[in-house]
Amino acid sequence: MEQFLQQWFNHYEKGTGVELSELDGTTLTHWTHLLSEVKAGGLTDWQKNPPGRLALILLMGPVAHLLQDEAAVLLQTRSRELCVSGVAKGFDTQLEPVQRRCFYDPLFYSTKSDDRALLIRLLEGMQSQVEQRVKPAWQNWYQQAAVPA
């Protein structure tokens, strides 16, 4: 889990996203293997703590889409469930701001108005906790969230 998160955030770089063309073969192989494990029902223990749940959300959301997995839509639904239940447990508040933005990824891409409203509330709650150096990224996230899906 730690290796995956380190790889993800090395590429994510302050909210600019991860591009398939930036990933080397070793990283792609690792992510493909992890996604296969998740699809086979593995790695469920990861959901028991904030970093692990974040890793699952990333694998089932952006990584599945990035790798153009045939189950990406179904996995996105599972990712959303992990996100919402994780928010209810307060897992998101135990993460750094950029990690929190990624934790909320399923809400950014949801077409449900309730999800968008939750996302706006969560980002508004983050505003006072975000360090000055991260404020521009936070403002960008907030503007993205405020745009109707």
Side-chain angles (χ1 to χ4, degrees):
M1 165 190 29
E2 291 87 9
Q3 180 185 5
F4 166 71
L5 288 174
Q6 183 177 27
Q7 290 170 331
W8 177 265
F9 286 106
N10 280 344
H11 290 284
Y12 193 78
E13 296 182 354
K14 300 181 183 96
T16 60
V18 175
E19 298 292 329
L20 189 61
S21 60
E22 297 173 357
L23 304 177
D24 62 30
T26 303
T27 300
L28 280 173
T29 300
H30 182 230
W31 291 9
T32 301
H33 174 73
L34 289 174
L35 184 58
S36 294
E37 280 191 63
V38 167
K39 288 170 54 178
L43 307 179
T44 56
D45 282 353
W46 285 16
Q47 65 185 306
K48 295 178 181 176
N49 62 66
R53 189 168 288 237
L54 170 61
L56 289 172
I57 288 168
L58 291 171
L59 284 167
M60 289 190 272
V63 171
H65 286 284
L66 196 66
L67 299 178
Q68 298 178 348
D69 191 275
E70 72 279 354
V73 173
L74 175 64
L75 291 169
Q76 179 69 24
T77 300
R78 289 177 52 199
S79 176
R80 181 203 167 273
E81 292 166 3
L82 282 175
C83 171
V84 172
S85 63
V87 166
K89 293 175 185 274
F91 280 11
D92 57 319
T93 63
Q94 299 175 46
L95 299 169
E96 298 295 320
V98 171
Q99 293 173 321
R100 285 177 75 176
R101 190 279 175 229
C102 290
F103 195 93
Y104 303 148
D105 194 69
L107 302 176
F108 272 94
Y109 295 102
S110 176
T111 57
K112 297 179 179 184
S113 60
D114 288 350
D115 288 350
R116 300 298 284 197
L118 173 60
L119 176 60
I120 296 269
R121 285 193 311 272
L122 292 167
L123 290 173
E124 286 173 347
M126 276 179 67
Q127 182 177 12
S128 64
Q129 302 166 358
V130 174
E131 295 175 23
Q132 193 61 36
R133 65 180 178 77
V134 184
K135 286 277 187 192
W138 177 89
Q139 186 64 37
N140 184 41
W141 303 331
Y142 188 78
Q143 288 172 350
Q144 287 175 349
V147 174

